[in-house]
């Protein structure tokens, strides 16, 4: 004879026969789950939301070239921030700062078992995700709502700091290049300026345009006076000496035509060189000061959209669901148990079967 088939309708009589057992099991499960749910600590969740930026936007060389800080949520920036936040060095730094070995009651720092337990607990309480708005949501869960908020905010700061460190060395090298360029231009400018001053003294030229006009005026007036003196019998010798002094370098005048003509090209070249170096030196100093300010200012590489605040209500446990779920699970397991038990009794040799 084949074994009878069971259905949900057929379970009714079986449950009725075992109703006290099922009710007792469910009641016991309810009591145990209530006790366990009450013993579980309240867990609070704090969330910080931020948008990472491209570290290159804060490089000195980009800033001095007119670049601007940009709000961007590029995939590589988001992935980099998440990777930094989930890295073990960051976790160990936060664990040490907030003394989580003591908080989690895991043991003494330095013990491998205790360290692994704390790291595992910390990692399970941390969640960093990229949301649909191209921002990062950093969530931390803890039984202390204030501690959860502080850890979340600290993690954002650490991510920002590590993100800046990725380009900090290159930025320092760029700053050093700016300093070297400024020092070189400063030395060249000072050398060229001394050469210009020396040339002015050597040739007796202190202002090309004004001095040229003065010499032309003096030459015309002296030569006219000489011609007049020659015609009327005036001081011809004195005027000739004056004219020689104006035209010859050995005539005794500091300002004379021969020195002026000899030094015009050199002075023009030195003046142009000094003016060019001066403009480049000013630009180099401005670039160096801007770059130095950029590095010392430590511009943030993240835009903080929402700071983490202590939660106003618990995140878990949901005690009613724990109790209800345990009761339903116990009821289902009880049904399975009594169904198997009835099936075993039915198939046992010598068992009385209904006609």
């Amino acid at each position: 004879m084949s074994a009878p088939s069971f259905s949900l309708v057929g379970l009714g009589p079986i449950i009725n026969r075992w109703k006290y057992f099922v009710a007792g099991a469910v009641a016991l499960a309810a009591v145990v789950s209530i006790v366990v749910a009450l013993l579980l600590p309240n867990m609070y969740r704090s969330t910080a939301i931020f948008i990472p930026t491209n570290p290159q936007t804060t490089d000195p060389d980009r800033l001095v070239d007119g670049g601007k800080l940009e709000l961007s949520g590029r995939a590589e920036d988001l992935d980099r921030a998440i990777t930094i936040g989930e890295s073990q060095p960051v976790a160990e730094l936060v664990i040490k700062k907030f003394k989580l070995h003591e908080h989690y009651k895991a043991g003494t720092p330095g013990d491998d078992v205790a360290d692994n337990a704390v790291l595992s607990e910390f990692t399970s309480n941390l969640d960093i995700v990229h949301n649909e708005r191209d921002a990062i949501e950093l969530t931390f869960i803890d039984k202390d709502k204030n501690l959860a908020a502080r850890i979340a905010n600290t993690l954002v700061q650490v991510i920002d700091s590590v993100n800046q460190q990725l380009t900090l060395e290159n930025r320092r090298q760029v700053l050093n290049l700016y300093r070297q360029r400024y020092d070189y231009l400063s030395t060249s400018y000072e050398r060229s300026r001394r050469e210009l001053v020396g040339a002015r003294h050597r040739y007796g030229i202190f202002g090309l345009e004004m001095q040229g006009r003065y010499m032309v005026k003096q030459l015309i007036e002296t030569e006219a006076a000489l011609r007049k003196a020659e015609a009327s019998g005036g001081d011809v010798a004195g005027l000739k000496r004056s004219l020689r002094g104006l035209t010859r370098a050995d005539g005794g005048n500091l300002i004379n035509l021969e020195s002026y003509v000899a030094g015009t090209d050199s002075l023009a070249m030195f003046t142009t060189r000094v003016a060019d170096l001066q403009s480049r030196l000013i630009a180099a100093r401005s670039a160096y000061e801007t770059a130095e300010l950029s590095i010392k200012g430590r511009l943030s590489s993240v835009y903080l959209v929402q700071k983490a605040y202590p939660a106003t209500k618990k995140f878990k446990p949901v005690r009613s669901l724990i109790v209800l779920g345990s009761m339903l699970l116990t009821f289902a397991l009880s049904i399975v148990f009594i169904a198997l038990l009835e099936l075993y009794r039915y198939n046992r040799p010598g068992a009385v079967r209904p006609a």
Side-chain angles (χ1 to χ4, degrees), residues 201-220:
H201 285 286
R202 184 167 60 253
Y203 295 111
I205 302 176
F206 303 97
L208 286 173
E209 184 176 355
M210 295 299 296
Q211 193 166 335
R213 292 178 181 179
Y214 165 78
M215 291 185 62
V216 170
K217 180 176 180 295
Q218 291 297 316
L219 282 171
I220 293 173

Side-chain angles (χ1 to χ4, degrees), residues 5 49 53-54 70 87 97 121-122 140 146 155 181 183 190 230 251 286 295 304-305 307-308 321 347 351:
S5 59
I49 303 175
T53 63
N54 184 357
E70 298 175 356
S87 63
K97 178 177 181 179
E121 179 74 13
F122 177 86
F140 194 80
N146 294 311
L155 281 169
R181 179 168 175 259
D183 292 342
E190 185 60 28
E230 288 175 343
S286 176
I295 286 185
L304 186 61
V305 179
K307 182 181 178 181
L321 290 180
N347 293 327

Side-chain angles (χ1 to χ4, degrees), residues 78-87:
L78 297 169
D79 291 341
R80 182 176 58 255
I82 293 175
T83 302
I84 293 173
E86 293 179 342
S87 63

Side-chain angles (χ1 to χ4, degrees), residues 28 31 41 68 81 106 114 131 156 166 170 273 279 319 327:
L28 180 61
V31 173
K68 297 180 180 179
N131 65 20
V156 175
L166 296 178
N170 288 336
R273 169 95 175 140
S279 62
R319 292 181 172 84
M327 292 175 63

Side-chain angles (χ1 to χ4, degrees), residues 20-38:
Y20 295 111
F21 171 78
V22 173
V26 172
L28 180 61
V31 173
V32 173
S33 61
I34 289 174
V35 173
V36 172
L38 292 176

Side-chain angles (χ1 to χ4, degrees), residues 47-355:
T47 301
I49 303 175
F50 64 94
I51 301 175
T53 63
N54 184 357
Q56 294 180 355
T57 62
T58 58
D59 277 349
D61 54 343
R62 186 179 186 276
L63 290 176
V64 298
D65 288 337
K68 297 180 180 179
L69 295 176
E70 298 175 356
L71 177 61
S72 62
R74 303 185 311 166
E76 53 266 39
D77 298 326
L78 297 169
D79 291 341
R80 182 176 58 255
I82 293 175
T83 302
I84 293 173
E86 293 179 342
S87 63
Q88 184 170 341
V90 171
E92 291 176 348
L93 187 150
V94 176
I95 289 172
K96 182 178 180 180
K97 178 177 181 179
F98 290 96
K99 301 179 180 179
L100 295 185
H101 283 81
E102 179 181 347
H103 180 68
Y104 291 150
K105 299 178 181 178
T108 305
D111 180 71
D112 291 342
V113 176
D115 291 344
N116 290 332
V118 173
L119 183 61
S120 177
E121 179 74 13
F122 177 86
T123 304
S124 64
N125 290 335
L126 175 64
D127 185 31
I128 307 178
V129 297
H130 168 204
N131 65 20
E132 66 279 2
R133 295 181 178 86
D134 285 337
I136 292 180
E137 294 184 3
L138 188 151
T139 302
F140 194 80
I141 302 172
D142 196 82
K143 59 184 178 182
D144 185 340
K145 58 184 179 182
N146 294 311
L147 180 62
R150 293 202 306 273
I151 290 179
N153 290 324
T154 299
L155 281 169
V156 175
Q157 296 173 4
V158 173
I159 291 173
D160 181 21
S161 177
V162 174
N163 203 26
Q164 293 180 50
Q165 292 293 330
L166 296 178
T167 59
L168 185 59
E169 187 59 32
N170 288 336
R171 292 166 65 186
R172 286 175 175 167
Q173 292 179 2
V174 170
L175 178 63
N176 187 49
L177 290 177
Y178 280 131
R179 184 183 59 79
Q180 292 178 3
R181 179 168 175 259
Y182 171 73
D183 292 342
Y184 169 76
L185 289 174
S186 179
T187 302
S188 298
Y189 171 76
E190 185 60 28
R191 183 174 60 250
S192 297
R193 189 187 66 81
R194 288 197 299 267
E195 291 176 349
L196 175 60
V197 172
R200 289 184 187 278
H201 285 286
R202 184 167 60 253
Y203 295 111
I205 302 176
F206 303 97
L208 286 173
E209 184 176 355
M210 295 299 296
Q211 193 166 335
R213 292 178 181 179
Y214 165 78
M215 291 185 62
V216 170
K217 180 176 180 295
Q218 291 297 316
L219 282 171
I220 293 173
E221 292 177 351
T222 303
E223 188 172 4
L226 176 61
R227 297 293 177 261
K228 184 177 179 181
E230 288 175 343
S232 60
D235 186 12
V236 176
L239 290 172
K240 285 184 176 181
R241 286 194 302 271
S242 297
L243 186 61
R244 180 181 176 83
L246 288 172
T247 57
R248 300 291 297 273
D250 56 356
N253 287 3
L254 177 62
I255 300 175
N256 59 85
L257 182 61
E258 185 178 358
S259 296
Y260 181 83
V261 173
T264 298
D265 291 339
S266 297
L267 262 293
M269 181 188 68
F270 282 130
T271 302
T272 303
R273 169 95 175 140
V274 169
D276 176 66
L277 285 172
Q278 185 179 37
S279 62
R280 291 167 60 190
L281 179 63
I282 294 173
R285 181 174 181 82
S286 176
Y288 173 73
E289 290 176 347
T290 303
E292 185 179 32
L293 179 63
S294 174
I295 286 185
K296 289 183 178 180
R298 299 293 297 274
L299 298 178
S300 177
S301 64
V302 302
Y303 287 92
L304 186 61
V305 179
Q306 173 185 301
K307 182 181 178 181
Y309 294 97
T312 56
K313 62 179 181 179
K314 65 181 177 65
F315 168 64
K316 61 180 182 180
V318 184
R319 292 181 172 84
S320 58
L321 290 180
I322 293 176
V323 175
L324 182 61
S326 63
M327 292 175 63
L328 291 176
L329 179 62
T330 302
F331 177 76
L333 292 176
S334 299
I335 297 302
V336 172
F337 175 75
I338 61 177
L340 293 175
L341 183 59
E342 288 290 333
L343 183 62
Y344 169 76
R345 287 182 176 180
Y346 183 85
N347 293 327
R348 189 177 56 184
V352 180
R353 298 176 175 83

